[in-house]
Amino acid sequence: MSFKSLGLSEPLLKAVSKKGYETPSPIQVKAIPSILEGKDILASAQTGTGKTAGFTLPLLHLLSKKPIQKHRPIRALILTPTRELAAQVHANVKEYSEFLNIRSTVIFGGVNQKPQVARLRQGIDVLVATPGRLIDLENQGELSLKRIEILVLDEADRMLDMGFLRDIERIMKLMPDRRQNLMFSATFSKDIKKLAYSILNKPVQVEATPENTAVEVIQQKVYRVAKGKKTGLIIKLISEGNWKQVLVFTRTKHGANKLCKKMISAGITAAAIHGNKSQGARTKALAGFKSNSVRVLVATDIAARGLDIPLLPHVINFELPNVSEDYVHRIGRTGRAGASGEAISLVSADETTYLKGIEKLIDMKIEVEIIEGFEPDPNASTVPIKPGQNRNRQSRGRHSGQRNSGNSKNSNRNRSRRRNDNRG
């Protein structure tokens, strides 16, 4: 199977060849022909399997086949849950459209909007955006979605969860009812899938791999450890293993900052990335990590979605996520494009319930080890610490504020919360 056999135009084949790709991935083989036929798609595939090209290539093909209009109204909208992912997706759009008469841009919060507005005023065909900044600029009259032909929800399970749903519903009301809808993600819960089908029009469901499974090439391991000994253990693993590039996940922003400082004190170069960091700081931290000038990147789950870090060898869950599907996205940062990778989870007694949920989701028992000197506390409680409190509390607050539109304090608080949590 070749890219040419999928029906893509010569300019796109030229761009694909320039990037060094010769054979389409399973998700591309299954999704691209249906998209070219104008069908709605619900596609699930593991991270690192080419999902972005799976929707970008056919989207550009369809747009390029129609005459370019003089004022270039926005004809395709790609929504992502995070700023970093939006920037990454736009980079792909630019690369694949190099030999086409297609203009694109990206908009997200945390940075000055003036350059974004200037680009929009020049006229574009493809817009990549996060929901918050998109709504802000639409409210200001700086963009119109009335001519949208194709809508893409990347990481669609996050885009349709309770934190984003109201924004997505609002954005959809700004677009024509007749449009092509493409939803891509690594995971779809039953509830999210049901919601997706209420939006899609007679969709084709595409699954390139068994749904909600962890990437097979990733070696997964659990270290049972006392909660208070986690920091010492992670420093030991990184130092004695001489690991050069490690992505570490914490559950909270405060936890990420605290662990980062401990790493630096132990002589390990580290940087933190989370929703309270400025966009400039986040971009700098990620760039340093990719160039290996920063050895450890400590992150909350904003970094779990879609970030492409080539040949990342190690992912460590300093704390397990309280949403099982997020585990799949976290560990999917390693083992990409067929490379091997290792995912380690430091699990204290109060995270036992989370671990059981993850093992049920991926349908496997993860290997468990205990390291001498870092044994779990036999007297510690196995009751989770307010499971789901971060996401659920934010979701409830967001919903209650939006339902009661007359309460301006709630509305402002929720908008601020959304931006701080990387929503804009």
Side-chain angles (χ1 to χ4, degrees), residues 115-332:
Q116 298 176 358
V117 169
R119 182 65 174 152
L120 287 169
R121 289 176 177 174
Q122 293 172 8
I124 60 162
D125 305 290
V126 182
L127 177 62
V128 185
T130 51
R133 178 55 61 91
L134 179 70
I135 290 173
D136 287 345
L137 293 186
E138 197 280 333
N139 285 340
Q140 295 171 35
E142 297 293 353
L143 61 85
S144 171
L145 304 179
K146 293 180 180 180
R147 305 291 288 277
I148 293 293
E149 300 168 20
I150 304 172
L151 168 67
V152 181
L153 297 187
D154 194 14
E155 302 295 350
D157 59 327
R158 274 292 297 278
M159 301 303 292
L160 295 177
D161 76 9
M162 301 306 286
F164 277 114
L165 183 56
R166 296 286 175 155
D167 282 351
I168 298 302
E169 289 175 339
R170 182 175 176 182
I171 290 168
M172 286 185 174
K173 290 178 181 177
L174 302 172
M175 294 184 286
D177 291 334
R178 293 190 63 181
R179 63 176 186 271
Q180 187 175 7
N181 302 289
L182 314 177
M183 297 189 182
F184 280 73
S185 188
T187 57
F188 283 104
S189 67
K190 290 182 180 179
D191 289 341
I192 293 298
K193 189 174 289 187
K194 183 178 179 181
L195 182 58
Y197 270 86
S198 71
I199 297 170
L200 299 168
N201 178 32
K202 298 179 181 178
V204 175
Q205 186 169 335
V206 176
E207 294 185 17
T209 51
E211 192 173 356
N212 292 347
T213 57
V215 183
E216 292 181 2
V217 294
I218 300 175
Q219 296 178 336
Q220 300 173 68
K221 184 182 292 185
V222 163
Y223 286 109
R224 288 282 188 177
V225 58
K227 196 176 190 71
K229 296 181 179 180
K230 281 190 177 186
T231 301
L233 177 55
I234 195 171
I235 290 173
K236 173 185 172 69
L237 292 171
I238 293 171
S239 299
E240 294 185 1
N242 197 28
W243 295 346
K244 299 300 184 183
Q245 196 176 41
V246 189
L247 178 58
V248 179
F249 284 102
T250 61
R251 201 178 298 132
T252 68
K253 302 163 189 174
H254 172 72
N257 288 336
K258 185 177 179 181
L259 181 58
C260 186
K261 290 178 181 178
K262 293 284 182 68
M263 292 274 190
I264 294 171
S265 296
I268 299 172
T269 55
I273 177 172
H274 53 67
N276 280 355
K277 292 282 186 179
S278 70
Q279 190 57 40
R282 282 156 58 169
T283 300
K284 181 180 178 181
L286 186 59
F289 186 61
K290 287 185 174 182
S291 67
N292 290 309
S293 61
V294 172
R295 190 171 170 186
V296 177
L297 185 66
V298 186
T300 54
D301 281 307
I302 64 165
R305 298 294 179 129
L307 288 185
D308 188 10
I309 304 168
L311 303 178
L312 175 64
H314 305 286
V315 169
I316 299 180
N317 292 300
F318 185 77
E319 296 162 315
L320 288 179
N322 46 35
V323 177
S324 299
E325 286 83 1
D326 286 345
Y327 173 85
V328 178
H329 289 277
R330 284 184 178 188
I331 72 169

Side-chain angles (χ1 to χ4, degrees), residues 15-34:
V16 168
S17 177
K18 185 175 180 179
K19 283 180 67 68
Y21 299 139
E22 298 178 358
T23 306
S25 68
I27 188 63
Q28 293 162 2
V29 170
K30 292 185 177 183
I32 288 176
S34 293

